């Protein structure tokens, strides 16, 4: 054996167990009497231990250095396997903390791979960078990408490292994460600023040329923008660059190149600038002026000047300047030739400057400082005119005025009249100066003063004539000529000459604008011979009215003959006056008369129709009311004569009840129609449970259906909503009106259907509901359908005339549907049947608790048990009504105390101890105190603390006031419910039970 093993141990049942093993080199030199090289081994072991301690200390120092390095940079270390996802073999806590994670959280968030750490949009580029770096055996790589941190933010990192093999020969990727978020943000801002500057440079409307001036005074182009190309007239950027020579473009006019060269020569250091103007010639030969600024903006590293020239097109400004110069020269020459004195007043400095033309000596300029103060010394302006001058010139009012002032050649105290025209000039909405002219009117004022009164009268007369006539012509009939004293405004710009031939120019001008219908009579009046014949023996005045051809205006032409000499009249004044307003008033008066006459005729016809309708209505109502009244009185007589015959009496009572209900229906229809026509009908808003609503309608109409053995069907199509807000009574009235007609006009054994379907609605919180009433009855003719909804209309059919009705039901139905913002459509064929479709929009009940409460409140009206001893207070002024209510309530175990008016009811309630009365029935129309006042009085007892039960005791209005606004007034007065007469005892008991419970 090459090695010797010394084993020490003890024998075990299963064999030998090794306790210690010592390997020694058999060739190792022995020391002393050692059988084995123990001493040498110990020396070697001590040496190895010393080396290991040294290495461990070195490693600790390096680790400390690494920790210091890692703590001083925003980054961390990682080691990845060289696989498809670069799965992590090691991640430092600094690397995980860089993204807000612990190491375990980081491994979970990334899936344990470097690929899982990359923000997905950046992953393709990062992988491409690595693939490119490792291509052809490359080992080092570097890439940057974003990483989603724990808090959701994105952070930019630089991921760089190198491949190397580990101890097992596997390729590993050793990498370092560096946080470069701030530098990336700075770089992004820099890119945006660069893009912005590039955009401004490319789109700015002024041209920019940047170039270098070498030490030898040659020039080298750096850049130019597109505006330069446009301003210089080049077709492309390349064409412009190719035409750059000696510091300027070739388009610069040869004579002006020296201007630019001189500007360059005067620039010596950074910041120096020179402005100049020069011309460029475009390729089409046109000349354009440039306004340019050249300046040194920097220096190259070699010390050469960087120049920049900006330019804008000044062509239009130069054209305007040249025109202004020419006009200024013309203005100067005009001033020299004119006698008017031009002036300007500078408001800021209170300086008056005048420019007085002198023949042969040009224009004399005179300047007066502190002008407003000088005026007050009364040296240059007459004392009476100083205030006017100050107001119009110094204060800028600038009205035309006349003033007396001195002249340089005049004597002291000698004033000359001048007329002043001026205008206020502003700058930035601020008054700046007043400019104007002084015209010498001294001679004219002297002449005018001699005949001012006569001139004033003439001017007044002329003004009066001008205000009346639009044009005036003086015509010499003998010489066939005219002169225009006043021309229409439209012809002052050259339409009609001021003078000329009467028969030619003026007559043609007059007839040209006359309407065709009036041309003949106007032409006849304009004929000279006709004028002479018409005026022979007359007063010398003719006139004719005509319409304008192009407008709706009316004119009157008046001819006044005058005597020019001692002979017969041979001259005339032709005056034209606009009489459109007079004609309009005549027309309006005529129209008003026509309207008044038409209104009287319509009123008369309306009265006749109303009288006829009233007569027909009274006749029909007399018949319709007397019919049930006859049944009531007849059945009452039969019942009196049949005492003891219970069956007969029961039959009479049933028919009296039926006739009474029919009579009540007639009265209600008449009252409803009256309410609708007066505009006093209003709708309430109750919770309507649709299924129960259809059942209640069906329960009302079913007895009539069964009496005629008709087939009645209710169709409730599935809908989203079960409850809505609406007027239960009026909606029920609509359906019962239509169903009643269907029953009336459908033979025995016929079919009647009522259907309800919820349609789609575009409004939020509003549902669209369609009710359909259909029958196979007698139907209606097309002629009657046109007047179906008119009041009192009934079809002329012997089958209809045998059936009772007022003709108001459908008219009321239509008005109720329209009040609900709904529509009603009808389709009917004679002898086939009728179909009504009613569409209404109702607010939806969103609160389920309200719908549930309404469903629970929908029980029947029969079988209510009241507690023994229940006592109520009845306020009713009619003793017969008292007797009816007392008897009906006593049948249900309810005791009743009666009061004859509201005041008595309040006193009785106050006199009894609290709790005596369970409920109060209150009539409305009573003497002494009405029901509203009585209800308020009872409630006030509770508010004042006099009676604790007054605030909560139920009060029911029991009244013949049956409209919705009556119920509203009852609620406002403090009542809880509203029950109408005639009394329906079951409904009253139901309401009482609900309130007492």
């Amino acid at each position: 054996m090459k090695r010797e093993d010394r084993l020490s141990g003890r024998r075990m049942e299963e064999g030998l167990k090794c306790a210690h093993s010592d390997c020694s080199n058999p060739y190792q030199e022995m020391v002393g009497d050692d059988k084995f090289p123990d001493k040498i081994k110990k020396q070697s072991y001590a040496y190895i231990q010393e080396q290991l301690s040294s290495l461990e200390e070195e490693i600790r120092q390096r680790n400390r250095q690494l920790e210091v390095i890692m703590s001083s940079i925003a980054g961390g270390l990682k080691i990845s396997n060289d696989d498809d996802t670069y799965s992590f073999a090691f991640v430092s806590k600094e690397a995980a903390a860089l993204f807000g994670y612990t190491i375990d959280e980081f491994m979970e968030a990334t899936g344990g791979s470097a690929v899982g750490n990359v923000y997905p949009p950046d992953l393709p580029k990062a992988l491409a960078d690595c693939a490119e770096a490792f291509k052809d055996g490359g080992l080092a790589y570097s890439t940057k990408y974003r990483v989603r941190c724990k808090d959701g933010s994105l952070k930019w990192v630089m991921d760089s490292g190198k491949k190397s093999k580990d101890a097992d020969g596997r390729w590993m990727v050793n990498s370092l994460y560096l946080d470069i978020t701030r530098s990336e943000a700075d770089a992004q801002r820099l890119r945006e600023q660069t893009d912005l500057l590039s955009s401004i440079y490319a789109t700015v409307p002024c041209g920019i040329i940047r170039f270098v001036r070498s030490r030898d005074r040659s020039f080298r182009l750096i850049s130019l923008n597109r505006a330069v190309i446009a301003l210089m007239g080049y077709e492309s950027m390349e064409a412009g660059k190719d035409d750059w020579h000696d510091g300027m473009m070739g388009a610069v006019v040869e004579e002006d190149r020296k201007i630019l060269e001189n500007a360059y020569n005067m620039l010596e250091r950074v910041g120096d600038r020179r402005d100049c103007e020069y011309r460029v010639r475009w390729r089409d030969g046109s000349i354009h002026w440039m306004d340019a600024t050249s300046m040194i903006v920097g220096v190259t590293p070699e010390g050469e000047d960087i120049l920049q020239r900006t330019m804008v097109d000044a062509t239009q400004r130069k054209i305007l300047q040249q025109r202004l110069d020419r006009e200024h020269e013309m203005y100067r020459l005009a001033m020299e030739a004119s006698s008017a004195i031009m002036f300007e007043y500078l408001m800021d400095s209170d300086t008056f400057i005048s420019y007085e033309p002198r023949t042969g000596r040009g224009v004399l300029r005179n300047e007066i400082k502190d002008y407003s103060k000088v005026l007050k010394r009364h040296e240059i302006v007459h004392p009476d005119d100083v205030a006017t001058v100050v107001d119009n010139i110094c204060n800028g009012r600038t009205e035309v005025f006349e003033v007396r002032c001195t002249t340089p050649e005049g004597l002291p105290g000698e004033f000359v009249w001048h007329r002043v025209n001026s205008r206020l000039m502003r700058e930035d909405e601020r008054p700046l100066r007043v400019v104007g002219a002084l015209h010498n009117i001294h001679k004219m004022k002297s002449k005018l003063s001699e005949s001012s009164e006569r001139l004033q009268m003439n001017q007044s007369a002329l003004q009066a004539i001008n205000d009346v006539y639009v044009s005036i012509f003086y015509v010499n009939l003998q010489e066939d000529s005219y002169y225009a004293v006043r021309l229409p405004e439209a012809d002052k710009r050259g339409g009609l000459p001021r003078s000329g031939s009467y028969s030619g120019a003026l007559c043609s001008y007059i007839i040209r604008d006359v309407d065709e219908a009036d041309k003949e009579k106007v032409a006849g009046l304009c004929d000279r011979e006709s004028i002479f014949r018409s005026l022979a023996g007359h007063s010398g005045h003719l006139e004719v009215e005509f319409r304008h051809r192009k407008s709706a205006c009316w004119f009157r032409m008046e001819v006044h003959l005058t005597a020019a000499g001692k002979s017969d009249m041979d001259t005339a004044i032709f005056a034209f006056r606009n009489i459109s307003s007079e004609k309009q008033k005549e027309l309006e008066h005529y129209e008003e008369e026509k309207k008044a006459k038409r209104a009287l005729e319509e009123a008369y016809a309306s009265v006749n129709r109303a009288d006829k309708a009233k007569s027909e209505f009274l006749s029909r109502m007399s018949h319709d009311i007397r019919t049930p009244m006859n049944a009531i009185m007849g059945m009452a007589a039969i019942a009196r004569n049949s005492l003891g015959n219970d069956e007969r009496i029961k039959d009479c009572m049933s028919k009296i009840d039926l006739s009474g209900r029919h009579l009540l229906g007639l009265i209600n229809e008449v009252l409803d129609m009256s309410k609708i026509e007066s505009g006093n009908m209003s709708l309430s808003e109750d919770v309507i449970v649709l299924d129960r609503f259809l059942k209640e309608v069906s329960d009302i109409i079913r007895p009539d259906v069964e009496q005629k053995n008709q087939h009645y069907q209710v169709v409730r199509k599935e809908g989203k909503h079960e409850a809505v807000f609406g007027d239960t009574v009026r909606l029920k009235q609509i359906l019962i009106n239509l169903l009643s007609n269907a029953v009336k006009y459908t033979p025995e054994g016929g079919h009647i259907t009522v259907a309800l379907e919820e349609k789609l609605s575009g409004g939020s919180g509003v549902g669209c509901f369609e009710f359909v009433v259909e029958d196979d009855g007698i139907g209606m003719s097309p002629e009657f359908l046109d007047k179906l909804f008119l009041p009192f209309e009934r079809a002329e059919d012997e089958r209809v005339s045998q059936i009772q009705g007022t003709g108001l039901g459908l008219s009321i139905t239509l008005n109720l549907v329209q009040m609900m913002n709904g529509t009603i459509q009808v389709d009917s064929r004679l002898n086939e049947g009728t179909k009504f479709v009613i569409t209404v929009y109702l607010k939806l009940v969103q609160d389920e608790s309200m719908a549930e409460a309404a469903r629970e409140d929908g029980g029947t009206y029969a079988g209510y048990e009241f507690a023994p001893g229940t006592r109520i207070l009845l306020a009713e002024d009619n003793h017969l009504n008292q007797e009816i209510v007392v008897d009906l309530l006593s049948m249900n175990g309810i005791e009743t105390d009666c009061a004859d008016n509201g005041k008595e009811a309040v006193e009785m309630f106050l006199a009894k101890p609290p709790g005596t009365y369970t409920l109060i029935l209150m009539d409305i129309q009573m003497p002494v105190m009405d029901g509203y006042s009585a209800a308020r009085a009872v409630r006030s007892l509770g508010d004042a603390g006099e009676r604790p039960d007054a605030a909560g005791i139920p009060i029911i209005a029991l009244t013949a006031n049956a409209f919705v606004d009556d119920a509203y007034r009852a609620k406002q007065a403090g009542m809880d419910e509203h029950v109408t007469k005639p009394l329906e005892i079951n409904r009253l008991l139901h309401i009482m039970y609900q309130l007492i419970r």
Side-chain angles (χ1 to χ4, degrees):
M1 294 178 65
K2 293 182 180 180
R3 294 186 179 181
E4 292 181 1
D5 297 333
R6 186 175 70 212
L7 302 174
S8 62
R10 53 196 180 94
R11 189 176 297 279
M12 307 292 290
E13 291 182 357
E14 64 274 22
L16 294 176
K17 182 177 181 181
C18 181
H20 177 72
S21 175
D22 189 1
C23 296
S24 299
N25 191 332
Y27 304 104
Q28 182 70 42
E29 180 182 356
M30 302 294 182
V31 178
D33 56 354
D34 285 344
K35 296 179 181 180
F36 296 95
D38 287 340
K39 294 181 178 178
I40 296 301
K41 180 186 70 175
K42 291 179 179 179
Q43 293 174 358
S44 299
Y45 177 76
Y47 175 76
I48 291 171
Q49 285 295 109
E50 182 181 352
Q51 293 297 316
L52 286 174
S53 297
S54 176
L55 288 173
E56 288 176 353
E57 179 61 27
E58 185 178 352
I59 289 172
R60 281 195 294 273
Q61 290 179 0
R62 290 185 178 180
N63 285 339
R64 284 195 294 271
Q65 292 174 354
L66 185 59
E67 288 178 358
V68 172
I69 293 172
M70 293 306 299
S71 64
S72 65
I73 64 173
L77 298 174
K78 66 178 176 68
I79 301 175
S80 303
N81 295 303
D82 189 17
D83 53 25
D84 292 341
T85 63
Y86 297 104
S87 57
F88 292 130
F90 166 77
V91 176
S92 71
K93 63 180 182 180
E94 291 83 5
L98 182 62
F99 309 115
Y101 297 104
T102 64
I103 294 177
D104 292 339
E105 290 173 342
F106 183 72
M107 296 297 285
E108 181 180 355
T110 61
S113 70
V115 169
N117 192 35
V118 182
Y119 184 50
D122 299 344
L123 182 58
K125 184 179 184 307
L127 292 175
D129 290 344
C130 292
E132 181 65 24
F134 295 147
K135 186 174 65 176
D136 300 330
L139 299 179
Y141 81 96
S142 178
T143 184
K144 61 181 181 181
Y145 50 81
R146 290 170 291 178
V147 176
R148 179 72 72 183
C149 298
K150 183 178 180 179
D151 61 3
S153 62
L154 291 174
K155 183 172 288 187
W156 278 96
V157 296
M158 176 69 75
D159 182 358
S160 59
K162 189 175 182 181
K163 279 187 180 182
S164 64
K165 290 186 178 181
D166 63 0
D168 297 328
R170 294 177 301 174
W171 284 103
M172 306 297 288
V173 182
N174 302 296
S175 309
L176 174 66
Y177 281 140
L178 285 178
D179 184 357
I180 61 170
T181 303
R182 179 171 294 179
S183 63
E184 277 298 312
D186 293 341
Q188 178 63 26
R189 283 193 294 272
L190 182 59
R191 285 193 294 272
E192 290 174 354
Q193 290 175 359
T194 302
D195 292 343
L196 176 61
L197 291 175
S198 299
S199 175
I200 293 173
Y201 183 73
T203 59
V204 71
C206 69
I208 303 175
I209 304 175
R210 182 165 288 194
F211 52 95
V212 174
R213 181 173 62 185
S214 303
R215 297 182 185 279
D216 61 357
R217 293 291 174 171
S218 63
F219 299 92
R220 183 175 71 256
L221 180 65
I222 298 176
S223 66
L224 49 84
N225 67 351
R226 295 189 178 277
V228 173
I229 303 303
L231 291 172
M232 293 291 184
Y234 293 104
E235 296 177 353
S236 65
M237 183 69 74
E238 291 74 17
K241 290 180 178 180
D242 292 343
D243 200 23
W244 168 265
H245 308 289
D246 300 326
M248 60 193 74
M249 312 295 285
V252 177
V253 173
E254 185 67 30
E255 293 83 354
D256 294 352
R257 298 176 73 85
K258 194 66 176 178
I259 297 174
L260 289 175
E261 293 175 1
N262 292 337
Y264 296 159
N265 292 334
M266 286 187 280
L267 302 176
E268 297 179 357
R269 59 183 63 86
V270 175
D272 285 356
R273 59 182 291 164
R274 288 293 181 271
D275 298 330
C276 63
E277 292 180 348
Y278 60 92
R279 294 167 295 169
V280 296
R281 181 178 284 105
W282 285 12
R283 295 299 174 90
D284 60 4
S286 59
I287 298 296
H288 297 261
W289 278 92
M290 297 294 127
D291 189 349
T293 299
S294 301
M295 63 184 301
I296 299 178
V297 296
V299 180
T300 66
E302 294 78 17
E304 298 174 325
D305 294 332
I306 300 175
L307 275 67
Q308 177 175 290
R309 185 166 80 250
T310 58
M311 68 194 73
V312 294
D313 191 333
T315 305
Q316 290 300 320
R317 182 176 59 79
K318 291 293 290 186
I319 292 173
L320 292 175
Q321 183 62 47
Q322 292 170 356
R323 183 183 302 168
L324 183 62
D325 292 342
R326 289 194 300 269
E327 290 177 355
H328 183 74
E329 179 63 19
M330 292 174 62
Y331 177 68
R332 187 186 64 81
L333 295 174
M335 282 189 62
E336 291 181 358
S338 171
S339 61
I341 301 172
M342 309 303 294
F343 73 88
E344 62 177 335
Y345 172 71
L346 307 181
M347 304 182 79
D348 289 342
S349 60
D350 191 20
T351 302
F352 183 89
I353 305 172
S354 62
Y355 304 91
E356 183 179 356
R358 297 295 183 88
T359 305
R361 291 182 291 170
V363 177
L364 177 64
R365 183 180 184 275
N366 185 32
E367 182 175 321
I368 304 175
K369 300 284 189 181
D370 299 325
Y371 182 63
S372 58
K373 296 178 181 178
V374 174
L375 286 175
K376 294 177 182 178
R377 293 202 292 264
H378 303 160
E379 295 178 355
I380 58 174
V381 173
H382 193 280
D384 294 342
D385 300 336
V386 170
T388 304
V389 174
V390 171
D391 187 31
N392 285 280
I393 295 180
C394 300
N395 296 338
R397 188 171 183 179
T398 64
E399 291 183 350
V400 177
F401 66 96
E402 295 177 353
V403 61
R404 290 159 289 181
C405 55
T406 60
T407 60
E409 293 84 3
L411 298 175
E414 183 181 13
F415 295 96
V416 178
W417 278 100
H418 288 79
R419 178 180 292 117
V420 182
N421 301 81
S422 59
R423 182 179 178 185
L424 177 64
M425 310 300 290
R426 297 176 180 270
E427 184 174 307
D428 297 330
E429 301 300 323
R430 185 176 65 87
L432 185 64
R433 61 191 182 122
V434 175
V435 298
L438 289 86
H439 303 272
N440 191 321
I441 59 170
H442 196 76
K443 292 181 180 180
M444 181 186 70
K445 289 287 289 185
S446 299
K447 292 180 180 179
L448 289 176
S449 62
E450 297 174 359
S451 56
S452 59
E453 184 178 353
R454 183 169 46 188
L455 178 61
Q456 183 177 0
M457 290 189 295
N458 291 339
Q459 286 179 337
S460 300
L462 182 61
Q463 183 62 45
I465 294 172
N466 284 341
D467 291 341
V468 173
Y469 296 100
V470 296
S471 57
I472 303 172
F473 300 93
Y474 179 85
V475 178
N476 190 318
L477 296 173
Q478 295 292 346
E479 297 180 2
D480 192 25
S481 63
Y482 77 91
Y483 173 77
V485 179
R486 174 179 172 83
L487 281 171
E489 292 295 327
D491 292 306
K492 287 184 178 180
R493 295 185 295 272
L496 178 70
R498 179 68 69 174
S499 60
S501 168
Y502 165 74
S503 299
L506 183 58
C507 286
S508 300
Y509 168 77
I510 294 172
I511 298 173
R512 180 190 65 187
D513 291 330
V514 176
D515 188 84
E516 290 294 334
D518 301 327
K519 274 190 176 181
E520 185 175 350
K521 61 181 180 180
V522 174
L525 185 62
C526 289
D527 181 67
R528 287 194 301 159
E529 297 299 327
S530 176
I531 293 174
F532 287 129
R533 287 195 303 270
S534 299
L535 294 174
H538 291 79
S539 62
H541 174 78
L542 296 173
E543 66 178 39
V544 64
E545 295 179 355
F546 62 89
R547 288 161 292 183
H548 194 271
R549 179 173 60 88
K550 297 181 180 179
S551 66
C553 294
W554 277 86
F555 292 91
R556 178 182 294 127
M557 184 176 76
E558 301 176 4
V559 181
H560 303 271
L561 268 72
T562 62
K566 297 181 180 179
S567 60
D568 294 337
M569 295 181 291
D570 57 0
T571 59
I573 300 296
F574 281 62
F576 293 83
R577 182 178 178 183
N578 189 329
I579 59 170
S580 300
S581 59
E582 299 174 17
K583 284 291 183 178
Q584 182 65 30
K585 289 178 181 178
E586 291 179 8
L587 182 61
E588 290 175 357
H589 181 69
Y590 176 70
E591 289 295 329
E592 287 176 1
E593 287 184 345
K594 286 178 60 179
K595 288 180 181 178
K597 183 179 179 181
R598 192 183 306 116
L600 287 173
E601 292 173 351
E602 290 176 355
Y604 180 73
S606 177
V607 169
N608 285 340
R609 286 196 301 270
D611 187 59
K612 182 179 179 182
K614 178 181 177 182
S615 299
E616 292 177 354
F617 171 69
L618 291 175
S619 175
R620 187 182 293 113
M621 290 304 298
S622 174
H623 173 270
D624 289 345
I625 291 174
R626 288 175 183 274
T627 300
M629 284 297 298
N630 180 61
I632 292 170
M633 297 177 68
M635 287 297 109
I638 293 172
R640 282 195 300 270
N641 294 325
S642 302
L643 297 175
N645 187 345
D646 293 342
E647 285 295 324
R648 186 58 173 158
I649 290 175
K650 183 178 180 181
D651 178 60
C652 290
M653 290 299 104
S654 175
K655 290 177 180 178
I656 288 172
D657 181 68
L658 180 63
S659 298
R661 290 179 182 276
H662 176 65
L663 181 60
L664 179 62
L666 293 175
I667 294 171
N668 284 338
E669 284 190 350
V670 172
L671 292 177
D672 280 346
M673 199 65 211
S674 174
K675 199 80 170 177
I676 289 170
E677 289 180 347
S678 65
N680 293 323
M681 175 71 77
S682 59
L683 300 177
S684 64
E685 192 171 87
D686 314 312
V687 177
I688 303 174
V689 179
L690 295 173
D691 290 335
R692 194 182 78 206
F693 173 78
L694 286 178
K695 182 178 181 305
E696 291 175 356
V697 171
S698 299
D699 289 344
I700 294 172
I701 204 67
R702 200 178 299 279
D704 296 335
V705 172
E706 292 174 351
Q707 187 176 1
K708 295 184 70 173
N709 296 320
Q710 294 167 333
H711 301 281
Y712 179 75
Q713 182 182 11
V714 179
V715 179
R716 171 72 164 94
K717 297 184 180 179
E718 198 66 30
K720 292 182 179 180
H721 303 94
E722 297 182 7
V724 296
F725 289 107
D727 191 322
T728 308
V729 174
R730 296 307 179 187
L731 191 60
K732 190 179 296 182
Q733 183 179 356
I734 291 170
L735 290 182
I736 290 175
N737 278 351
L738 298 176
L739 287 169
S740 297
N741 285 345
V743 172
K744 289 179 186 178
Y745 302 117
T746 299
E748 291 191 7
H751 298 80
I752 299 172
T753 303
V754 59
L756 170 60
E757 180 179 3
E758 183 176 356
K759 299 287 189 178
L760 290 176
S761 173
S764 176
V766 177
C768 177
F769 297 90
E770 182 181 270
F771 294 88
V772 179
V773 176
E774 189 171 7
D775 64 66
D776 57 359
I778 64 175
M780 292 174 281
S781 65
E783 294 77 17
F784 182 67
L785 285 176
D786 294 336
K787 51 185 178 179
L788 175 64
F789 295 105
L790 297 177
F792 312 119
E793 289 293 340
R794 301 188 72 189
E796 297 179 358
D797 190 321
E798 61 180 11
R799 295 173 293 180
V800 175
S801 60
Q802 297 173 0
I803 299 172
Q804 292 182 343
T806 62
L808 294 174
L810 286 178
S811 181
I812 293 172
T813 298
L814 174 64
N815 280 278
L816 290 176
V817 169
Q818 291 175 344
M819 287 177 67
M820 296 179 183
N821 292 323
T823 60
I824 182 169
Q825 297 175 326
V826 58
D827 181 21
S828 182
R829 290 178 176 81
L830 201 60
N831 300 321
E832 293 184 14
T834 302
K835 177 180 179 181
F836 286 92
V837 179
I838 302 97
T839 304
V840 291
Y841 294 87
L842 302 172
K843 288 172 58 179
L844 302 175
V845 177
Q846 309 286 359
D847 189 348
E848 183 59 32
S849 62
M850 293 182 65
E852 186 62 31
R855 281 192 287 270
E856 293 176 357
D857 192 36
T860 59
Y861 292 166
Y864 299 111
E865 294 183 3
F866 295 89
T870 299
R871 179 178 294 275
I872 70 167
L873 176 61
L874 171 64
E876 170 63 67
D877 62 327
N878 187 292
H879 289 180
L880 179 59
N881 287 341
Q882 287 183 7
E883 180 181 350
I884 293 171
V885 174
V886 169
D887 288 348
L888 290 175
L889 293 181
S890 65
M891 295 177 186
N892 290 273
I894 299 173
E895 300 177 10
T896 306
D897 291 344
C898 297
D900 291 339
N901 56 65
K903 183 174 183 295
E904 186 178 336
V906 175
E907 292 172 348
M908 289 178 64
F909 176 77
L910 189 58
K912 298 292 184 180
T916 301
Y917 296 116
T918 307
L919 182 142
I920 300 175
L921 295 177
M922 187 76 71
D923 188 20
I924 298 299
Q925 295 184 2
M926 294 183 292
V928 185
M929 179 184 287
D930 62 28
Y932 299 132
S933 301
R936 281 191 285 267
V938 171
R939 295 300 185 207
S940 66
L941 294 175
D943 297 337
E946 296 183 47
R947 282 291 294 266
D949 60 338
I953 186 170
I955 304 177
I956 300 175
L958 186 62
T959 174
N961 297 344
F963 294 112
V964 174
D965 52 348
D966 297 323
Y968 175 75
R969 289 183 63 193
K971 288 287 181 73
Q972 292 294 103
M975 302 189 201
D976 299 282
E977 280 293 344
H978 183 268
V979 177
T980 61
K981 300 175 185 176
L983 180 61
E984 295 182 38
I985 187 61
N986 284 337
R987 182 169 184 271
L988 176 61
L989 291 173
H990 167 73
I991 293 174
M992 291 172 60
Y993 182 79
Q994 293 290 334
L995 294 175
I996 293 173
R997 185 181 63 175

